[in-house]
Amino acid sequence: QVQLVESGGGLVQAGGSLRLSCAASGRTLSSYVMGWFRRAPGKEREFVAAMDRFGISTNYADSVKGRFTISRDNSKNTVYLQMNSLKPEDTAVYFCAADRSFHVLVDASRFGSWGQGTQVTVSS
């Protein structure tokens, strides 16, 4: 299955921005619907954003709409999560995920491949 590696996490002040990257290998990224999830300390994994194989259809959690943008560059086998106007409650480990679906997925249980996660910490 496809291997996924996240990068771009770090420490940022509230109101700042980060761009996360998820690099895929072993498979062609265009064959996968991609998603981003996060897990805050002591909380369950939460859906953040997802998009279809071609970057046409997207879905966002209400908590990040207008602030986060998911995108993909299939030529680079990479998916991105641009995070703007970050809030302390965005602090979490962020994971990218992939599945060979033709539809945008928002349920973590539907994704078959996962990255290792990257830490995002937003200070106030």
Side-chain angles (χ1 to χ4, degrees), residues 26-56:
R27 296 289 188 275
T28 301
L29 191 61
S30 62
S31 298
Y32 293 85
V33 59
M34 301 297 298
W36 286 96
F37 296 80
R38 65 188 182 187
R39 181 163 52 235
K43 295 186 177 181
E44 297 289 332
R45 184 166 51 189
E46 175 189 22
F47 168 75
V48 176
M51 73 188 319
D52 71 350
R53 294 183 175 190
F54 307 107
I56 298 173

Side-chain angles (χ1 to χ4, degrees), residues 5-114:
V5 179
E6 302 95 335
S7 62
L11 175 64
V12 64
Q13 290 186 339
S17 298
L18 285 173
R19 188 176 75 160
L20 306 183
S21 299
C22 176
S25 62
R27 296 289 188 275
T28 301
L29 191 61
S30 62
S31 298
Y32 293 85
V33 59
M34 301 297 298
W36 286 96
F37 296 80
R38 65 188 182 187
R39 181 163 52 235
K43 295 186 177 181
E44 297 289 332
R45 184 166 51 189
E46 175 189 22
F47 168 75
V48 176
M51 73 188 319
D52 71 350
R53 294 183 175 190
F54 307 107
I56 298 173
S57 298
T58 60
N59 202 352
Y60 295 92
D62 288 341
S63 60
V64 306
K65 285 181 179 178
R67 300 190 298 120
F68 291 10
T69 303
I70 186 172
S71 62
R72 67 195 301 159
D73 186 341
N74 287 343
S75 69
K76 297 181 179 179
N77 274 342
T78 301
V79 64
Y80 305 95
L81 184 68
Q82 178 67 46
M83 305 185 296
N84 299 325
S85 302
L86 283 163
K87 306 174 181 179
E89 51 262 45
D90 294 318
T91 295
V93 177
Y94 284 72
F95 301 87
C96 66
D99 197 75
R100 297 194 77 256
S101 173
F102 290 98
H103 306 285
V104 176
L105 303 176
V106 300
D107 186 349
S109 67
R110 302 292 294 178
F111 285 88
S113 299
W114 291 83

